[in-house]
Amino acid sequence: MASVERFMRAIRVSEFGKPEVMKLLTDVPVPSPKDDQVLIRVHACGINPLETYIRAGVMMKPKLPYTPGTDASGVVEEVGKDVKTFKKGDRVFTRDTITGAYAEYTVASEDTVYHLPEQLNFKQGAAISIPYFTAYRALCTFARGKPGDLVLVHGASGGTGIACCQVARAYGFKVFGTASTTEGLNLIQKNGAHKAFNHKEKDYMEKIQVSEAAGGEGVNIILEMLANVNLSNDLKILSYGGRVIVIGSRGTVEINPKDTLYKDSSIIGMGLYNATKDDWKEMAAALYGGMESGWLKPLIGPEYPLEKAPQAHEDIIDKSGATGKMVFVL
Ligand code: NAP
């Protein structure tokens, strides 16, 4: 007997452009998992700046039409015949999907799906992948820091910044973070930062530099969320041998290269999508350590229904005053 086709609500993008190109359809067929794939009923989905760049057509350019999103969290509905790690009913989160995560159901390859521990809810599950894998890779793999080093999370109040603060604190770093509102400054201090600075204040970089915790030697590592604005100033507050890890940038910036040779300092770019299979394994092991011991606790900020996808994309780029991770709740 032929199986009955089921339909779902999902965001579809048929042309690249402004947020309004994201349309909520109600008649998208529920996808079927192939042999090594998992079908997930999505309960929450992370909203990441990356999805806005892809939708605008400036990065990656998937084949149209497509459903955005990589970071889903929910319950396994069906598994392909070769899937060994998951069964129907398992709580899971993804770091990538095949059919898109801004949808009621998504299909993902088994190797991009992870069990969601009981202590985290679905919204938190949707806030793990891009933020925490990025935080771990930037700090532990690329920055090559050691416990006791001073890390500045430059842009600490958003999804990735909070993750960076938690990872840095858990691994024994001294942690400074920046935000632009009183609420953001309080949140980052509750999530790992020893000290918080307001990046809208004119002299905040001087305050960081002269801070007692910086010990007059400067900042060892800067995890930078907005390099096009901050890179030149970052180089001036680094310690000898200091590193800026560029995580986010939205344009060009002028720097004085001499600022690097004065101090043997480095600027290092980090793109999570370049991670290898072995990198993913190492990162996941570290993050499970955090989930099991309790330091990995995503902070959820604004929540949206799927129909507000265009608004969510505007807010994540244009609105300041971040308070944690933006998510869709389905
Ligand atoms: P988000 O949740 O929108 O947070 C943006 C952060 O930037 C907020 O903390 C915001 O603080 C802060 N910010 C705004 N103006 C700033 C300034 N002048 N100086 C320093 N920080 C400032 O986004 P997210 O998920 O955390 O991602 C942050 C960036 O990293 C994005 O550009 C994203 O594309 C990039 N990213 C890259 C990778 C990668 O693989 N390289 C992975 C993840 C993220 P206020 O709102 O308080 O002002």
Side-chain angles (χ1 to χ4, degrees):
M1 205 171 67
S3 63
V4 181
E5 194 167 22
R6 293 190 297 156
F7 298 94
M8 64 175 185
R9 295 159 70 242
I11 295 291
R12 296 295 275 169
V13 174
S14 301
E15 57 178 324
F16 297 112
K18 297 198 161 127
E20 294 70 35
V21 299
M22 289 187 291
K23 307 285 182 207
L24 179 64
L25 305 187
T26 54
D27 57 353
V28 177
V30 173
S32 293
K34 293 199 177 124
D35 295 350
D36 60 347
Q37 298 173 356
V38 176
L39 173 70
I40 299 160
R41 168 70 172 95
V42 179
H43 288 281
C45 170
I47 302 163
N48 296 288
L50 174 66
E51 288 128 35
T52 72
Y53 318 143
I54 296 172
R55 184 218 70 232
V58 296
M59 259 182 93
M60 291 174 182
K61 287 216 163 184
K63 206 169 147 251
L64 296 168
Y66 77 99
T67 294
T70 54
D71 295 1
S73 149
V75 175
V76 172
E77 174 97 357
E78 194 183 327
V79 297
K81 75 172 174 48
D82 295 339
V83 170
K84 308 249 181 323
T85 330
F86 303 100
K87 60 178 185 331
K88 187 175 161 68
D90 284 351
R91 286 160 37 91
V92 293
F93 67 96
T94 63
R95 66 166 166 83
D96 200 1
T97 73
I98 289 159
T99 57
Y102 290 15
E104 284 178 314
Y105 292 87
T106 189
V107 159
S109 174
E110 181 180 17
D111 60 347
T112 61
V113 182
Y114 303 92
H115 287 284
L116 178 64
E118 279 304 321
Q119 61 271 29
L120 297 184
N121 62 37
F122 289 122
K123 288 186 256 182
Q124 291 175 309
I128 297 171
S129 287
I130 287 189
Y132 285 87
F133 283 112
T134 294
Y136 179 85
R137 191 164 193 255
L139 182 60
C140 302
T141 310
F142 279 57
R144 294 167 284 106
K146 54 183 190 317
D149 281 356
L150 175 59
V151 176
L152 170 65
V153 182
H154 210 166
S157 49
T160 306
I162 292 281
C164 289
C165 290
Q166 290 181 359
V167 172
R169 185 68 180 253
Y171 279 78
F173 291 86
K174 267 188 280 177
V175 188
F176 287 3
T178 76
S180 67
T181 62
T182 306
E183 191 181 1
L185 293 164
N186 287 335
L187 287 174
I188 63 182
Q189 288 181 97
K190 283 188 186 139
N191 282 278
H194 292 93
K195 276 196 169 200
F197 299 84
N198 188 331
H199 52 235
K200 286 222 168 129
E201 273 178 19
K202 224 171 159 217
D203 59 347
Y204 78 100
M205 290 297 264
E206 284 129 53
K207 283 188 186 159
I208 291 172
Q209 199 172 20
V210 301
S211 158
E212 202 184 310
E217 290 169 8
V219 177
N220 304 111
I221 296 164
I222 300 181
L223 303 180
E224 181 56 60
M225 303 300 154
L226 202 58
N228 56 302
V229 173
N230 296 320
L231 188 58
S232 171
N233 293 331
D234 286 346
L235 295 178
K236 295 184 173 64
I237 67 162
L238 282 180
S239 63
Y240 281 89
R243 288 82 73 201
V244 181
I245 311 298
V246 177
I247 296 176
S249 186
R250 294 191 178 149
T252 57
V253 61
E254 189 175 309
I255 61 160
N256 183 347
K258 276 202 166 166
D259 288 333
T260 63
L261 63 88
Y262 287 146
K263 297 187 207 159
D264 288 351
S265 55
S266 326
I267 303 164
I268 302 168
M270 196 295 296
L272 183 62
Y273 33 76
N274 299 318
T276 64
K277 243 183 171 183
D278 284 347
D279 293 339
W280 288 114
K281 257 194 195 163
E282 177 190 325
M283 292 188 283
L287 299 189
Y288 270 101
M291 289 185 263
E292 283 157 12
S293 62
W295 62 253
L296 193 164
K297 243 195 211 162
L299 172 73
I300 304 303
E303 299 174 20
Y304 299 81
L306 264 192
E307 44 270 48
K308 293 274 189 225
Q311 183 66 54
H313 271 206
E314 261 174 39
D315 291 351
I316 200 161
I317 295 300
D318 296 332
K319 219 172 165 181
S320 71
T323 52
K325 178 76 196 169
M326 286 187 183
V327 293
F328 290 117
V329 180
L330 286 91

